[in-house]
Amino acid sequence: MLHYKSKALFAGVVLSISNLMAQGNKDYPIQPVTFNHVHVNDQFWAPRIEVNAEITIPYVLQKCRETGRVDNFLKAAGKKPPTNLTEYPFDDSDVFKVIEGVSYSLQTKTNASLERSLDTLIQIIGEAQEPDGYLYTFRSMKPEKLHPWISQKRWEKDSDLSHELYNSGHLFEAAVAHYLSTGKKSLLNIAIKNADLIVKDFLYGKAPYFPGHQVIETGLSRLYRVTGKKDYLALAKYFLDIRGNGVVKGSEYSQSHKLVTDQHEGVGHAVRAAYMYTGMADVAALTGDQSYINAIGKIWSDVVYKKMYLTGGIGATGAGEAFGAAYHLPNMSAYAETCASIANVYWNNRMFLLHGDAKYIDVMERVLYNGMLSGIAQDGKKFFYPNPLASMGQHQRSAWFGCACCISNVTRFMPSVPGYVYAQDKNNVYVNLYMSNKADIQLPSGKLTLSQETAYPWKGDVKISLNPVKQMAFAMRVRIPGWARDEAVPGDLYRFASLQKANKIVIAVNGKPVDYQLEKGYAVFNRTWKKGDVISFELPMEIEKVIANEKVKDDQGRFALQRGPIVYCLEGPDHADQAVQNIVVEEQTNFTANYNPSLLNGILTLDGKGSATSRQVNSNQLLKKELPVKAIPYYAWNNRGPGEMVVWIPSQESLSRPKPAPTIASKSKISGSVSSQRMLSSLNDQFEPSSSEDKSALYVHWWPKKNTEEFIEYTFDQEYTISESKVYWYDDSPFGGCRIPANWEVLYKQGNDWVPVKALTPYETTKDKYNTIQFEPVKTTGVRMKIKLPVNHATGVHEWIVK
């Protein structure tokens, strides 16, 4: 029986779509110049797009075969037994995203081998599809036991975890890309058959559930544009409007806690959120729904003004991969998922297409050059899932993840980067990004070819040559980036330390400076253009020190470095002892820019002077040693192995993490029932945690173990007499998996045996403080802590001190 509210919602959506469509075809007032019409030939983006096409895409396609993702479709088709499923029920989407990436690449460079691979893969997908259009391998293969995220009934758990509709969304995106690239309808027909089933089951009231993970909304919008079938657009709107209307219980995690038009803050899972806001923009553009535009405008302000990292990353916490509270932007534990950065690009580009304001491109550019680009290594075969802004060596790009969403997302995104350079609105041409390229643009007044020459982002010189097919009147709208106008970001979340007012950018036409008006961040030149006309200018590539809003507690007493669109960081390999957490740089320190063609595929470094701090035994006074400081682009870090990194540089000694004093513990060799030496090294790093759940540094943990006996151990550099041990527990309750231990005991090495110490004080297990045990003095070469984990949880340790 259809829920009453669903009936009313369905009727309202259909009526709304019908009324809006009756007004004529709608879409974004500004349209992008698609990437297949923009041929990038610079030294920055072109090599990266080439690496994606030649290395990353084949690599990820092979990984989809090796990990069983392709086999899932064969199992669903009955060609393999339904055993050894992959880990997640959204693994189908990785295959679809790779197909989308291959399809985009084929638009710019033919590859017969890859195209044949797609044909074979699409045939396998088609055979896995059920007769009525249903396509979800984890159910269709009929395993002996369904994945716990899947209900016995179709769609029933999608608003929770099943990802049936999420997979379909990526199928639709891939199908449209494949059709537009090759002209083939093989995958498009599969997508249409699947979409028609979902229309039947949802739009006509059979399944009143919302998608747990958004993306189908944008997929349906793209499918509507290609097919013209209004039901697809109506279904996209239905999926948005059913969220938070009481039909199915919702939550902030999936942005279903209230109606989408009543949401004014960025909350919950950051990827789902940004995909939803992108979908709302698409539906608003295609229907003219102003209530959607109002809502995502308010949400954008909340995110950009209060919840965005300097790198453009969003999603501050790993708990739910979610937005944190306003101004809560921790650096070491920053999540800033690569998928969220890609979704943030999609969302900001859509906001620009709606409003024509350069502030959205300012944010998009920040994400592109920093938070997104850091997600993939320079070899094209290692990846970040989270993108932290500080590290003590615990972060490392991986060759693969069980949850491979970020990896497959990169493959589909990179070929589309040229599509963000230009846009048009009738006879208005927007120049949004700067990279050497040649573009063909069809204006109402005629065909225009643009050529752009620049060494951006390392140099600010830009030359744009115009070659219209005839003399034509049209407007060139040239973006002056916010950072070139002394605006670090829209809003006051970050600002440049230098308060000097930026000079107006001098722009020349055919070599002569011309006056212009700045409209929404664009220098506007409305004139009759002829073949050979040239617009030229130089953006000021000043080295800027960035200061965070005082409400961002994690960044107080620190500054970050930025030059042009590039955010910088300090990394271990460029500094003494491979350490940067102990570096302090005075805010007034001058830096110089130096291009190094042999470092990290060619980068511009920022060089200055600072000091390294270290602790002393039995003294709170720090030792200081002057040293040269080198900053590299944030996107390039971790390409030389794991190590220390910091974006926000302390200008106060008290905020540095000094090199440990030579204590018994710091000079010891560490071992234990934990395989990660990086984790074990946290035990004696002398970093004082702010609380038991402090995630801003390394710590040892035994998650997901529970109710087991574990140990950690110091082997001393010589024999010592010891009589005290202090431990600070890691406990991330109530949401995490670690708690203080059930009990613990200290033992010392006597010959080849481990003997319990004779305690003089009781063993305590208390959060948020050092737990101290004093015992009769013993002479030994080593000490061990035996730890019994709680029955239902793991345990962790921040710091272990021996005296």
Side-chain angles (χ1 to χ4, degrees):
M1 180 70 69
L2 177 62
H3 195 288
Y4 171 75
K5 287 185 179 179
S6 288
K7 284 184 178 178
L9 175 63
F10 161 69
V13 168
V14 173
L15 180 62
S16 171
I17 295 293
S18 299
N19 290 341
L20 291 165
M21 296 306 295
Q23 301 171 17
N25 289 335
K26 291 179 177 290
D27 211 327
Y28 288 100
I30 302 171
Q31 287 290 304
V33 177
T34 54
F35 63 88
N36 53 321
H37 290 95
V38 182
H39 307 287
V40 172
N41 51 37
D42 72 342
Q43 296 302 306
F44 191 89
W45 285 107
R48 288 168 169 80
I49 294 169
E50 182 77 6
V51 166
N52 185 72
E54 300 297 325
I55 296 175
T56 309
I57 285 177
Y59 172 81
V60 176
L61 195 54
Q62 182 59 32
K63 281 291 185 181
C64 283
R65 296 188 183 103
E66 290 175 3
T67 58
R69 282 163 169 77
V70 174
D71 282 350
N72 284 348
F73 290 94
L74 292 170
K75 293 169 186 175
K79 296 191 172 183
K80 283 194 170 186
T83 56
N84 300 320
L85 278 70
T86 55
E87 191 171 356
Y88 297 105
F90 48 77
D91 288 342
D92 292 358
S93 69
D94 293 324
V95 176
F96 300 144
K97 282 185 275 187
V98 174
I99 291 174
E100 185 180 351
V102 174
S103 299
Y104 285 152
S105 290
L106 291 175
Q107 283 193 348
T108 55
K109 185 177 180 180
T110 58
N111 186 319
S113 174
L114 270 180
E115 190 166 352
R116 285 194 299 272
S117 292
L118 283 197
D119 290 341
T120 302
L121 194 51
I122 290 167
Q123 183 178 344
I124 292 170
I125 292 168
E127 290 170 351
Q129 188 171 35
E130 295 187 20
D132 66 352
Y134 189 71
L135 182 57
Y136 185 58
T137 64
F138 269 66
R139 185 191 301 281
S140 297
M141 69 176 71
K142 297 181 174 60
E144 186 176 321
K145 183 179 179 182
L146 282 176
H147 191 283
W149 292 4
I150 301 173
S151 170
Q152 292 293 331
K153 182 182 177 182
R154 287 181 183 180
W155 320 121
E156 193 171 58
K157 288 185 76 172
D158 199 280
S159 55
D160 182 15
L161 287 168
S162 81
H163 290 80
E164 290 159 282
L165 298 172
Y166 170 80
N167 286 353
S168 290
H170 281 300
L171 167 64
F172 302 161
E173 297 261 25
V176 171
H178 182 253
Y179 169 65
L180 293 176
S181 296
T182 67
K184 299 176 182 178
K185 291 188 175 181
S186 51
L187 189 59
L188 184 65
N189 289 336
I190 293 170
I192 288 171
K193 191 174 180 181
N194 183 248
D196 288 345
L197 169 69
I198 300 172
V199 166
K200 170 179 164 290
D201 283 358
F202 283 86
L203 194 58
Y204 294 96
K206 298 283 182 69
Y209 311 117
F210 58 80
H213 194 310
Q214 301 88 320
V215 86
I216 192 172
E217 300 83 358
T218 52
L220 284 165
S221 297
R222 295 199 72 199
L223 206 54
Y224 160 71
R225 287 189 179 97
V226 167
T227 65
K229 190 166 183 178
K230 296 177 184 178
D231 275 352
Y232 298 157
L233 180 55
L235 182 59
K237 193 171 191 308
Y238 174 87
F239 279 143
L240 291 167
D241 289 346
I242 198 173
R243 309 183 86 85
N245 78 339
V247 175
V248 179
K249 184 179 178 182
S251 67
E252 283 194 353
Y253 171 77
S254 60
Q255 300 78 41
S256 54
H257 56 301
K258 58 174 71 173
L259 295 174
V260 295
T261 51
D262 290 338
Q263 296 185 35
H264 300 147
E265 297 179 355
V267 297
H269 190 279
V271 182
R272 298 174 194 235
Y275 277 156
M276 186 179 87
Y277 310 147
T278 301
M280 289 173 69
D282 278 349
V283 173
L286 292 165
T287 65
D289 193 322
Q290 188 62 43
S291 64
Y292 279 17
I293 295 174
N294 293 340
I296 55 177
K298 291 174 182 176
I299 295 168
W300 184 88
S301 296
D302 177 67
V303 171
V304 174
Y305 297 173
K306 300 175 183 176
K307 298 174 180 175
M308 184 178 73
Y309 283 100
L310 184 63
T311 57
I314 55 174
T317 174
E321 303 178 336
F323 290 106
Y327 305 106
H328 177 66
L329 293 164
N331 295 306
M332 191 84 70
S333 60
Y335 209 70
E337 185 182 336
T338 300
C339 277
S341 287
I342 291 172
N344 204 15
V345 169
Y346 293 150
W347 178 26
N348 276 277
N349 187 54
R350 260 66 161 204
M351 296 296 285
F352 158 74
L353 297 176
L354 283 171
H355 301 291
D357 196 317
K359 67 182 182 181
Y360 302 113
I361 303 299
D362 286 346
V363 174
M364 187 185 80
E365 181 184 61
R366 179 170 295 279
V367 182
L368 276 174
Y369 281 95
N370 302 289
M372 186 285 296
L373 201 55
S374 64
I376 182 167
Q378 293 181 336
D379 66 2
K381 294 193 290 187
K382 296 186 187 70
F383 311 88
F384 269 143
Y385 196 112
N387 293 269
L389 278 73
S391 180
M392 295 183 72
Q394 72 269 45
H395 303 96
Q396 170 69 0
R397 286 190 179 89
S398 297
W400 193 252
F401 305 109
C403 174
C405 57
C406 294
I407 298 175
S408 55
N409 226 353
V410 166
T411 65
R412 75 173 182 134
F413 179 79
M414 287 298 290
S416 72
V417 168
Y420 299 106
V421 178
Y422 303 109
Q424 66 183 102
D425 170 16
K426 300 183 178 64
N427 280 322
N428 289 279
V429 177
Y430 291 83
V431 182
N432 284 331
L433 299 177
Y434 300 109
M435 56 187 77
S436 293
N437 68 81
K438 184 176 180 181
D440 300 312
I441 304 173
Q442 185 63 52
L443 299 174
S445 54
K447 185 179 178 182
L448 169 67
T449 299
L450 291 180
S451 296
Q452 193 181 137
E453 298 174 48
T454 180
Y456 197 89
W458 309 129
K459 295 181 180 180
D461 306 73
V462 179
K463 176 183 173 184
I464 302 170
S465 301
L466 292 82
N467 287 291
V469 70
K470 59 183 180 181
Q471 285 198 14
M472 299 190 313
F474 58 90
M476 289 291 291
R477 295 178 175 267
V478 179
R479 172 176 159 260
I480 307 300
W483 55 260
R485 293 182 280 109
D486 211 29
E487 181 183 88
V489 292
D492 65 352
L493 188 56
Y494 306 106
R495 64 174 176 84
F496 293 146
S498 171
L499 299 177
Q500 64 185 35
K501 188 173 177 61
N503 295 322
K504 186 175 182 179
I505 307 299
V506 176
I507 302 181
V509 175
N510 299 329
K512 295 181 180 179
V514 294
D515 194 23
Y516 60 87
Q517 295 298 315
L518 203 62
E519 297 178 10
K520 294 184 176 181
Y522 290 90
V524 182
F525 304 93
N526 201 338
R527 55 183 284 167
T528 298
W529 301 90
K530 65 182 185 301
K531 187 177 179 67
D533 282 344
V534 174
I535 300 172
S536 58
F537 54 93
E538 182 179 358
L539 297 171
M541 291 288 185
E542 304 292 338
I543 299 172
E544 300 283 4
K545 295 186 179 75
V546 184
I547 306 297
N549 187 298
E550 63 182 12
K551 295 177 182 176
V552 184
K553 300 304 180 187
D554 293 84
D555 298 338
Q556 297 312 296
R558 302 171 182 269
F559 66 87
L561 292 168
Q562 180 176 330
R563 184 179 182 275
I566 303 290
V567 174
Y568 279 75
C569 68
L570 307 183
E571 191 183 20
D574 302 309
H575 298 89
D577 301 323
Q578 301 281 306
V580 297
Q581 292 290 333
N582 64 336
I583 289 178
V584 178
V585 179
E586 294 182 1
E587 194 178 307
Q588 61 268 31
T589 298
N590 290 322
F591 283 82
T592 58
N594 300 286
Y595 186 75
N596 187 335
S598 62
L599 180 62
L600 295 165
N601 290 349
I603 60 168
L604 193 145
T605 65
L606 305 183
D607 297 282
K609 291 188 180 297
S611 58
T613 60
S614 58
R615 296 187 187 278
Q616 303 179 75
V617 177
N618 301 323
S619 173
N620 291 325
Q621 187 173 357
L622 299 178
L623 294 174
K624 282 181 29 176
K625 175 183 171 184
E626 288 194 0
L627 79 169
V629 173
K630 183 186 296 292
I632 65 167
Y634 169 76
Y635 73 76
W637 88 279
N638 206 258
N639 278 279
R640 295 173 287 180
E644 293 192 10
M645 181 275 292
V646 62
V647 169
W648 289 96
I649 305 167
S651 55
Q652 302 171 11
E653 290 177 22
S654 60
L655 296 173
S656 69
R657 288 183 175 155
K659 185 178 178 181
T663 63
I664 295 174
S666 71
K667 294 187 293 180
S668 294
K669 179 182 176 183
I670 316 172
S671 57
S673 55
V674 174
S675 59
S676 169
Q677 193 60 42
R678 285 203 301 273
M679 273 208 293
L680 288 168
S681 68
S682 68
L683 293 174
N684 63 359
D685 61 11
Q686 296 174 15
F687 171 65
E688 296 294 320
S690 61
S691 68
S692 287
E693 63 175 343
D694 188 351
K695 294 182 174 66
S696 62
L698 284 169
Y699 48 86
V700 170
H701 68 80
W702 284 273
W703 188 87
K705 290 182 179 180
K706 58 183 74 170
N707 200 29
T708 58
E709 189 174 277
E710 308 296 338
F711 76 95
I712 48 179
E713 182 181 310
Y714 282 150
T715 300
F716 302 151
D717 64 331
Q718 64 182 58
E719 192 174 62
Y720 291 101
T721 299
I722 59 172
S723 60
E724 183 178 290
S725 177
K726 298 166 66 175
V727 58
Y728 201 111
W729 303 113
Y730 174 75
D731 180 320
D732 57 356
S733 58
F735 302 111
C738 290
R739 303 290 185 274
I740 55 176
N743 56 69
W744 59 291
E745 185 179 18
V746 175
L747 304 94
Y748 70 99
K749 194 160 191 178
Q750 189 180 72
N752 292 323
D753 299 322
W754 288 102
V755 180
V757 298
K758 295 180 180 178
L760 301 176
T761 58
Y763 285 95
E764 59 177 334
T765 50
T766 308
K767 285 178 60 172
D768 303 327
K769 59 171 284 191
Y770 276 101
N771 290 198
T772 302
I773 175 73
Q774 293 178 339
F775 47 86
E776 290 185 1
V778 293
K779 199 175 211 180
T780 183
T781 58
V783 64
R784 171 180 286 191
M785 187 189 302
K786 190 166 63 175
I787 302 166
K788 179 64 187 300
L789 305 192
V791 173
N792 296 314
H793 294 93
T795 284
V797 178
H798 275 293
E799 197 75 13
W800 183 23
I801 298 170
V802 177
K803 292 184 177 180

